[in-house]
Amino acid sequence: MIDTDQVRKVARLARLQLTEAEEQQFTGQLNSILEYVRQLDELDTEDVLPTTRAIEVSNITRLDQLEVFVNREDILNSAPDREDDFFKVPKIMGGEE
Amino acid sequence: MSAIRELHRQLTSKERSAVEIAQAQLDQAQAVEPKLKSFVSLTAEKALAQAQAVDAKIAAGEDIGQLAGIPIAIKDNLCTKGIRTTCSSKMLENFVPPYESTVTGRLDEAGAVFIGKTNLDEFAMGGSTENSAFQTTCNPWDITRVPGGSSGGSAAAVAGGQSPVSLGSDTGGSIRQPASFCGIVGMKPTYGLVSRFGLVAFASSLDQIGPFGRTVEDTAILLEAIAGHDPKDATSLKVKIPNYTQFLKKDTKQPLKGRTIGIIKETFGEGLDTQVGDAVNAAIEQLKSLGAAVKTISCSKFDYGVSAYYIIAPCEASANLARYDGVRYGLRVQESEAPNLLSMYNKTRAEGFGDEVKRRIMIGTYALSAGYYDAFYLKAQKVRTLIKQDFDNAFKEVDVLVSPTVPTTAFKAGEKDDPLSMYLLDLMTIPVNMAGLPGMSVPCGFDTDGMPIGLQLVSNVLREDLLFEVGHAYEQSTNWHQQQPKL
């Protein structure tokens, strides 16, 4: 059902760098899990509507109003790297990979 | 006897001060901690400050609420402002939330005393706490066994006397299963009854916060304090919260007269440990003797719950956990290892997440990827509808459904190395989350190894009153809840 190439592709989509051993391990485990959940195909769901939330609530609105968050510095200080009022990240272009 | 009520009596009669209670509880927690490893952090400083505030109120002659001065342990996936909140993950090992979750905010306001933050399976994914990045919590009844999970630390802390009550979260059974394994009461409220604001998200359509206690009454008191509408959670229900303790009947002869209990037929099938089955059957006989009528109910789609869940929950998790990217908070690998943004993402997430979290992100990403959506996610959501319909039909005939909480008692640490065999333990708890219903596990016996067995009670949406009524009536007619592990 799912081979190592697909596992690599999914890992790329999920932004997870897997080791070769992990790729092998996940290929086996994902297969047994996906095989198990195929059990659902036994059920005819042709005319069944999907449930997206456990309890239906709708039209939840609030005023579109700004609120000042008082601990702004705490948020900025949580960042692994900051410069002034910005979150700092490694360069987007270039580097290897 | 309710631990909360007894401590409240000691405080109001000035038998003990809140600081004395807090200090004694902290000492006790610390003394047992090397054996149990229930806590990621003990928060003595916070606890004593909260207790002092309560004592000041008492000294000033003010009335204190029922939770004032009551020690509580909090699962470490609930954000506590200024107190490290790790989700038992390397990703959040040093994360200190700049805000307070709604539930801990309400408890703080009510004067509760935070003993510490409890261990869990990383990001609440697992059933044993073995997926914690820091430690595996031990079951107080046999420290070679797991306490269950994911809220294993919160359950072990209460069972092991480290805290009178605690909070957990339940996505597929993460409160009820450890409650069953540890021989205490654990309850998952109706989806939306308790605000999820500040609960670190795992699977948002399923996650719900709930209480642990040694007695049903303690969970009723605690639920009342944390339930209620919160504008910060769009799925929070606008309902009036009743005084839940009014549903605990004093009559001990026929307290369940007029109630109909349904046995979920499908939960007595293959894979059920015979000792667990026997204990649950004996509990059902007990419910009859308390006046309840009992009938067998079929929920034919029940057995498909695990399959639907292990698509829906990982899909939602893969989206929710996309936020851990090493930019705004949490772990980031060294710049020397990651020369550009993409490699920083990939390596940070590889290093920060453990195996089970990676596995679920992978399943979810796969199931949601182009070409697979209909076959997996949409199919699972449709099956979710069928599971709900089964419950809707059942509740036309009965007030409360009963089943074992878990097919087995607590297993040995390291025993289950295959992820799927672990997932199958959630067989009986998962459908309840899928339908958003309230569920409770109450102790109903022990196996020959001395390990606790749990009885699961399930009621219709917002009928927590029935769980408290039936759970309390059953509990008061037994002495399971009075037994304590020797540590």
Side-chain angles (χ1 to χ4, degrees):
Chain A
M1 281 193 24
I2 181 167
D3 57 27
T4 313
D5 271 351
Q6 273 174 302
V7 165
R8 277 193 205 110
K9 189 188 147 208
V10 172
R12 260 201 311 279
L13 291 172
R15 301 283 186 259
L16 281 172
Q17 180 168 309
L18 301 183
T19 63
E20 231 165 273
E22 279 178 320
E23 284 171 2
Q24 292 305 325
Q25 187 200 337
F26 285 147
T27 306
Q29 288 172 341
L30 260 54
N31 263 321
S32 69
I33 295 163
L34 291 171
E35 200 176 309
Y36 180 81
V37 303
R38 276 287 172 192
Q39 176 202 43
L40 297 184
D41 293 342
E42 293 165 14
L43 296 172
D44 178 10
T45 52
E46 188 68 35
D47 302 316
V48 180
L49 290 173
T51 293
T52 50
R53 45 179 66 91
I55 310 287
E56 207 52 56
V57 284
S58 57
N59 298 331
I60 304 302
T61 58
R62 59 168 173 80
L63 291 178
D64 189 13
Q65 240 166 21
L66 284 180
E67 258 178 73
V68 177
F69 187 78
V70 289
N71 304 312
R72 190 166 174 276
E73 272 304 297
D74 290 351
I75 291 180
L76 286 160
N77 283 332
S78 296
D81 199 3
R82 87 176 259 202
E83 192 173 300
D84 304 325
D85 281 354
F86 299 98
F87 299 123
K88 201 175 167 190
V89 295
K91 63 184 164 195
I92 294 172
M93 314 275 257
E96 1 157 358
E97 293 184 46
Chain B
M1 172 77 177
S2 149
I4 294 176
R5 219 148 37 86
E6 169 59 17
L7 289 168
H8 183 68
R9 186 195 62 76
Q10 291 175 9
L11 284 164
T12 50
S13 67
K14 305 199 173 160
E15 200 174 302
R16 286 208 289 171
S17 71
V19 168
E20 279 168 347
I21 290 171
Q23 193 57 60
Q25 194 61 65
L26 285 164
D27 292 346
Q28 176 65 18
Q30 223 141 21
V32 188
E33 186 57 13
K35 271 192 188 163
L36 295 186
K37 299 185 272 273
S38 310
F39 290 91
V40 175
S41 342
L42 282 163
T43 52
E45 211 177 300
K46 173 84 179 173
L48 292 171
Q50 287 169 317
Q52 273 159 10
V54 173
D55 283 336
K57 271 194 172 177
I58 295 171
E62 287 177 48
D63 276 343
I64 56 161
Q66 215 165 9
L67 281 177
I70 306 298
I72 182 166
I74 293 157
K75 188 175 182 180
D76 207 20
N77 63 349
L78 284 161
C79 286
T80 38
K81 188 178 167 187
I83 295 173
R84 194 167 71 111
T85 300
T86 68
C87 286
S88 289
S89 177
K90 271 174 79 180
M91 189 62 93
L92 294 177
E93 190 166 2
N94 299 307
F95 174 60
V96 178
Y99 69 102
E100 189 80 40
S101 76
T102 296
V103 288
T104 53
R106 283 185 184 170
L107 290 175
D108 191 33
E109 195 106 316
V113 169
F114 299 173
I115 291 293
K117 305 292 297 285
T118 58
N119 192 35
L120 61 148
D121 286 292
E122 185 179 8
F123 285 104
M125 299 178 191
S128 66
T129 71
E130 291 169 293
N131 296 332
S132 165
F134 310 132
Q135 67 213 20
T136 296
T137 299
C138 300
N139 191 308
W141 294 91
D142 174 356
I143 58 171
T144 67
R145 292 172 196 260
V146 300
S150 67
S151 311
S154 287
V158 170
Q162 293 179 297
S163 183
V165 288
S166 64
L167 283 186
S169 66
D170 189 317
T171 305
S174 280
I175 290 174
R176 289 159 289 156
Q177 187 254 29
S180 175
F181 278 11
C182 290
I184 58 169
V185 182
M187 84 90 58
K188 179 203 98 71
T190 301
Y191 181 82
L193 186 68
V194 178
S195 167
R196 290 180 296 113
F197 180 76
L199 169 69
V200 177
F202 159 19
S204 305
S205 80
L206 301 159
D207 297 341
Q208 188 59 196
I209 298 161
F212 286 102
R214 300 193 58 83
T215 61
V216 172
E217 183 170 2
D218 283 330
T219 61
I221 296 170
L222 198 47
L223 179 64
E224 196 178 321
I226 59 172
H229 182 252
D230 175 15
K232 289 176 179 159
D233 174 0
T235 61
S236 165
L237 301 173
K238 277 187 183 151
V239 291
K240 194 174 174 308
I241 305 304
N243 168 0
Y244 289 118
T245 50
Q246 70 178 292
F247 305 115
L248 312 176
K249 294 193 182 159
K250 301 268 184 312
D251 167 25
T252 48
K253 264 203 197 136
Q254 292 271 292
L256 299 182
K257 206 163 171 11
R259 295 292 180 210
T260 308
I261 308 279
I263 305 166
I264 307 173
K265 195 177 89 183
E266 285 73 14
T267 60
F268 284 85
E270 209 187 321
L272 177 67
D273 181 280
T274 51
Q275 293 190 56
V276 172
D278 290 348
V280 172
N281 278 320
I284 292 165
E285 288 305 311
Q286 185 75 9
L287 292 171
K288 274 189 205 164
S289 77
L290 295 170
V294 174
K295 58 160 83 176
T296 301
I297 291 280
S298 173
C299 292
S300 65
K301 310 302 183 304
F302 207 86
D303 293 343
Y304 295 91
V306 171
S307 290
Y309 177 88
Y310 278 98
I311 295 170
I312 291 171
C315 283
E316 295 184 11
S318 72
N320 273 328
L321 272 62
R323 74 191 62 175
Y324 303 104
D325 58 2
V327 174
R328 288 147 304 160
Y329 53 87
L331 181 81
R332 177 192 293 187
V333 293
Q334 293 296 316
E335 187 127 13
S336 55
E337 287 177 51
N340 63 27
L341 187 64
L342 188 60
S343 65
M344 187 281 280
Y345 290 156
N346 289 334
K347 286 178 180 162
T348 295
R349 290 165 63 79
E351 197 174 307
F353 293 136
D355 268 7
E356 182 61 25
V357 174
K358 284 179 187 168
R359 206 153 29 236
R360 297 209 195 181
I361 290 174
M362 293 285 291
I363 296 170
T365 306
Y366 173 75
L368 290 175
S369 65
Y372 295 101
Y373 180 85
D374 285 7
F376 290 108
Y377 193 60
L378 190 63
K379 180 81 185 181
Q381 286 185 313
K382 287 179 168 186
V383 173
R384 189 172 181 180
T385 305
L386 297 177
I387 292 169
K388 274 184 84 163
Q389 285 170 355
D390 268 358
F391 280 119
D392 287 346
N393 290 330
F395 287 123
K396 283 177 193 152
E397 294 184 52
V398 303
D399 299 301
V400 169
L401 289 164
V402 296
S403 75
T405 307
V406 199
T408 68
T409 53
F411 50 91
K412 300 253 182 194
E415 190 180 295
K416 292 202 189 290
D417 48 6
D418 165 40
L420 193 57
S421 71
M422 191 78 95
Y423 296 174
L424 289 170
L425 284 180
D426 304 339
L427 189 75
M428 294 158 186
T429 46
I430 275 177
V432 180
N433 299 76
M434 298 294 263
L437 304 172
M440 176 188 280
S441 182
V442 288
C444 74
F446 292 87
D447 69 8
T448 45
D449 290 333
M451 298 310 291
I453 299 168
L455 171 73
Q456 178 174 240
L457 307 171
V458 182
S459 60
N460 212 342
V461 168
L462 293 173
R463 293 309 304 271
E464 279 77 8
D465 58 313
L466 289 170
L467 297 186
F468 290 128
E469 179 190 306
V470 175
H472 178 76
Y474 173 73
E475 172 191 271
Q476 293 303 306
S477 72
T478 69
N479 65 3
W480 308 121
H481 63 289
Q482 286 159 352
Q483 309 199 23
Q484 289 191 36
K486 290 172 193 75
L487 280 163

